[in-house]
Amino acid sequence: STQSTWGFGMDCSIQRCSGIQTINSTMGTISSGSYTDTWACVWDINPPSLSSIPYPTPIAIQLTFQLFDLEKGYDYLKIITSTGTSQSLTGTTSVCLSNNDCWLNGKCIKKNNNTLGVCVCNEGFTNYDCSLSNLTIKAATLRLAFQSDISNTGVLNGFKLSYLTIYKCPMDCSGRGSCSFGQCSCSSGWMGIDCGTKVEVTTDSTKLPLAMIVGLAIVVSVLFIVMILVMVYCIKKLSFKYRLLRSVPQGPNLTLVFTDIQNSTSLWSEYENSMHQALILHNNVIRRNITRWKGYEVKTIGDSFMVAFHKPYDAIQFCKNVQFELLETQWPDNLVSRSDDCRVIEGPDRKLVWNGLRVRMGVHTGEAEKEYDSRASRVDYVGTNVNKAARVEGKAQGGQVLVSYETRMIEEILMESFESIGVYSLKGLGKHELYQLETVKGRVFSSPISTNVEENEVLGVCNSCNRPCKWCKKLYKGSNSRNSISKSFASRSEVST
């Protein structure tokens, strides 16, 4: 016989073996190759003893078939152990009629309505009839004997298998690891050749574990980053706050404007859908002019605005432009056609006098205390002058702009067209003279309830018509403006009743 050492890829069809081939490796592949004539091949699998492991002698050899195609009834592969026991694997048919022909280890699949099919094997089984699976032979050595005769069915594919030597591990690794070639790979926390020794964790009380150090470093880093972000946020907030407090209107020329829509409650009740659209148009007009005249939107309450300006002139121009733009706005048809508070009215010259929402405005000039609202990130104003501006707006009617005496007397707006409407009691603030700013020509307003006759006469206002009397007009006949009479009313002692 012939002896040789074989590793992976041993192929009888290439080696043209005859006699005995000796294999001394722990694992490898054996293949007969395809054949048509008579062959006789013998392989002796004789794995080595491994002196490096506690139990060096093999205890079993595992065979795994990848292919098994021998002629049925004639060809066979015999497996013989070192103790003399044997097992013969014979050829099988390559077709099937039912799942029974697949040894119930697979399914007989038929195509195109054929009566014959082929076996499709389940996982772990092979061969044309799914009759072979992994074979574990408990023996230190094996002999594989392959015998074939002349094929009556053409070329046959033969067989192909891989083998793996199994060595015993001490105590089978005590159930705490995996065995590979006689050596245990222990699970975490265990050690030893049989994985029977528990790993004792010892720590030096004077040193922190690396994991704890890393964890502390991460925590400290995160806290540091959070602290930096909080500081940056606070600095930005404070910076924004102080920049805002410096930039908003302030000082003796601070002029506040309050606005409100006439009869808005009833309009919302009757025309809710139209008022949604109308309020958007109204707010756009107000805010567009706030920007244009460098005002500051203090706050809104419902459909009312509180706006601050650096100069009375800007506030007056804001009010005039808002009234004209509201007049030219395309309001929802449902409002202007059905509501008396929004109806379109033209003057004798066919020019618009009223159209859509009617917004009243009150203007007053004077210092006020600033307060920063941290929740809204806005500056608010408080004080007597804020209350007075609101009271002035409360005396106005829709479409009317009223200003206080303090605003009217500012020199830069003396050329504007104002008309005194008399002296009126402002709730909690006493009696004050109010002026109407001329905006849209043709608008006529009824007068608010005036105070007593004596007060009106002292200020040169006729009680019957609620306007400056003729005597006063004659007294200031040389004035550049028909309304400048009020400029001399700073000292009441100059005018006699």
Side-chain angles (χ1 to χ4, degrees):
S1 64
T2 304
Q3 290 192 352
S4 61
T5 302
W6 298 87
F8 288 93
M10 180 172 184
D11 194 331
C12 185
S13 64
I14 297 175
Q15 302 299 328
R16 303 295 181 185
C17 69
S18 62
I20 301 174
Q21 307 296 324
T22 302
I23 302 173
N24 299 118
S25 59
T26 58
M27 65 178 76
T29 302
I30 299 174
S31 173
S32 68
S34 59
Y35 67 93
T36 58
D37 52 1
T38 300
W39 287 104
C41 295
V42 176
W43 294 269
D44 276 344
I45 304 176
N46 187 16
S49 295
L50 303 179
S51 59
S52 61
I53 60 177
Y55 300 96
T57 304
I59 60 172
I61 299 174
Q62 180 177 296
L63 303 180
T64 302
F65 285 87
Q66 288 85 38
L67 176 65
F68 196 84
D69 180 23
L70 307 184
E71 188 175 13
K72 183 177 180 181
Y74 299 99
D75 304 340
Y76 64 88
L77 176 66
K78 182 177 288 188
I79 304 173
I80 307 169
T81 68
S82 57
T83 60
T85 61
S86 64
Q87 177 181 358
S88 294
L89 305 178
T90 62
T92 60
T93 181
S94 60
V95 295
C96 60
L97 292 174
S98 67
N99 291 343
N100 291 332
D101 294 331
C102 302
W103 289 67
L104 299 179
N105 295 326
K107 293 183 179 180
C108 184
I109 305 300
K110 302 175 183 179
K111 296 184 179 180
N112 300 326
N113 297 321
N114 292 333
T115 57
L116 298 178
V118 294
C119 290
V120 177
C121 301
N122 298 330
E123 184 177 358
F125 294 89
T126 187
N127 203 10
Y128 284 104
D129 62 353
C130 303
S131 60
L132 297 180
S133 61
N134 295 342
L135 298 176
T136 300
I137 312 298
K138 292 185 177 181
T141 61
L142 281 183
R143 168 170 285 189
L144 302 180
F146 169 60
Q147 179 67 50
S148 70
D149 65 356
I150 297 174
S151 173
N152 296 321
T153 58
V155 178
L156 295 170
N157 294 318
F159 73 89
K160 183 178 181 180
L161 60 84
S162 59
Y163 65 91
L164 176 67
T165 307
I166 300 176
Y167 295 86
K168 178 178 176 61
C169 281
M171 301 297 293
D172 291 328
C173 302
S174 304
R176 302 186 185 100
S178 58
C179 180
S180 176
F181 291 103
Q183 291 183 322
C184 292
S185 296
C186 300
S187 303
S188 177
W190 297 92
M191 60 183 295
I193 61 173
D194 60 353
C195 301
T197 305
K198 190 172 184 179
V199 177
E200 296 293 337
V201 179
T202 58
T203 59
D204 188 347
S205 59
T206 62
K207 296 182 179 179
L208 290 175
L210 179 60
M212 185 177 294
I213 295 174
V214 173
L216 288 174
I218 292 174
V219 171
V220 171
S221 299
V222 170
L223 290 176
F224 180 74
I225 293 172
V226 170
M227 182 180 67
I228 294 297
L229 292 176
V230 171
M231 290 178 61
V232 170
Y233 173 79
C234 293
I235 291 172
K236 285 186 175 181
K237 288 285 288 185
L238 289 173
S239 177
F240 172 80
K241 171 183 176 180
Y242 291 119
R243 285 201 311 270
L244 185 61
L245 286 171
R246 289 196 303 267
S247 64
V248 296
Q250 53 196 294
N253 284 331
L254 168 66
T255 303
L256 299 174
V257 177
F258 281 84
T259 75
D260 194 20
I261 299 175
Q262 177 176 286
N263 294 336
S264 62
T265 302
S266 60
L267 288 173
W268 276 104
S269 177
E270 296 181 34
Y271 310 101
E272 183 173 355
N273 292 333
S274 297
M275 278 299 290
H276 278 292
Q277 182 181 354
L279 187 62
I280 293 174
L281 296 172
H282 163 271
N283 292 351
N284 288 342
V285 170
I286 296 289
R287 290 191 169 110
R288 184 165 56 248
N289 281 279
I290 290 175
T291 301
R292 179 181 178 185
W293 297 104
K294 298 179 177 61
Y296 176 71
E297 181 181 330
V298 181
K299 57 187 171 183
T300 59
I301 303 175
D303 49 43
S304 302
F305 277 79
M306 176 183 176
V307 187
F309 292 90
H310 294 275
K311 298 184 296 183
Y313 176 82
D314 295 334
I316 295 300
Q317 298 305 315
F318 162 79
C319 293
K320 289 176 65 175
N321 280 273
V322 166
Q323 292 296 336
F324 282 112
E325 289 190 27
L326 291 174
L327 182 69
E328 297 169 358
T329 298
Q330 294 294 322
W331 302 101
D333 294 337
N334 196 34
L335 283 178
V336 296
S337 62
R338 300 178 61 182
S339 172
D340 290 337
D341 292 306
C342 301
R343 195 176 300 279
V344 176
I345 300 176
E346 295 180 343
D349 55 358
R350 307 291 295 174
K351 291 184 178 181
L352 276 178
V353 177
W354 298 104
N355 175 37
L357 297 180
R358 302 183 182 184
V359 178
R360 55 176 173 262
M361 296 178 162
V363 187
H364 175 61
T365 301
E367 290 192 72
E369 183 179 350
K370 304 188 301 293
E371 284 188 351
Y372 182 76
D373 186 346
S374 58
R375 291 176 299 177
S377 297
R378 306 287 295 174
V379 172
D380 199 358
Y381 295 88
V382 295
T384 302
N385 286 322
V386 177
N387 296 334
K388 186 170 183 179
R391 299 288 186 267
V392 172
E393 178 266 318
K395 291 294 181 181
Q397 301 168 49
Q400 186 179 32
V401 180
L402 294 183
V403 303
S404 66
Y405 176 84
E406 288 80 2
T407 302
R408 174 65 187 90
M409 290 299 104
I410 301 296
E411 186 173 355
E412 65 178 355
I413 63 171
L414 288 177
M415 298 305 295
E416 295 292 337
S417 181
F418 290 96
E419 182 178 3
S420 175
I421 63 170
V423 177
Y424 298 95
S425 177
L426 303 181
K427 184 178 179 180
L429 300 173
K431 299 170 183 177
H432 300 269
E433 185 175 13
L434 302 180
Y435 297 84
Q436 175 182 301
L437 172 66
E438 183 178 337
T439 55
V440 180
K441 293 186 180 297
R443 288 185 176 178
V444 178
F445 305 96
S446 59
S447 298
I449 300 175
S450 63
T451 57
N452 56 55
V453 175
E454 180 182 358
E455 182 72 5
N456 285 340
E457 288 179 346
V458 168
L459 292 180
V461 180
C462 178
N463 189 52
S464 59
C465 65
N466 209 26
R467 298 185 180 184
C469 61
K470 294 181 180 180
W471 178 84
C472 295
K473 288 183 179 180
K474 291 179 181 179
L475 183 64
Y476 297 96
K477 192 172 183 179
S479 171
N480 292 330
S481 171
R482 65 185 181 90
N483 297 309
S484 63
I485 176 174
S486 300
K487 187 175 181 180
S488 301
F489 288 174
S491 175
R492 297 188 179 185
S493 61
E494 296 181 6
V495 183
S496 171
T497 57

